Amino acid sequence: MRNMCLIVVKNLDDLAKRKGPSRQAFLKEQLETLSIVEEEAKREQAIDDLYD
């Protein structure tokens, strides 16, 4: 990874090691999850707006 704090990289490596996959697989999974969470938040807001 480029332009990342070494402490952050080490923490990511430690997290990935505890979860099992490689750092790349771990980051891919985390980014996919983040994108789904964002979309779900948008859907929930749209539903709330309909009720208001």
Side-chain angles (χ1 to χ4, degrees), residues 4-43:
M4 293 286 298
C5 171
L6 293 178
I7 294 169
V8 171
V9 173
K10 182 184 179 333
N11 288 342
L12 289 170
D13 284 342
D14 291 344
L15 285 168
K17 203 174 285 184
R18 279 187 264 147
K19 298 262 184 177
S22 65
R23 181 194 325 154
Q24 180 176 340
F26 173 76
L27 290 174
K28 179 181 180 286
E29 180 181 311
Q30 294 300 308
L31 291 170
E32 288 170 347
T33 300
L34 179 61
S35 72
I36 291 168
V37 168
E38 289 289 321
E39 287 301 314
E40 185 60 28
K42 288 178 188 176
R43 286 187 189 108

Side-chain angles (χ1 to χ4, degrees), residues 42-52:
K42 288 178 188 176
R43 286 187 189 108
E44 287 178 9
Q45 185 60 51
I47 290 169
D48 289 344
D49 291 347
L50 285 173
Y51 284 112
D52 288 340

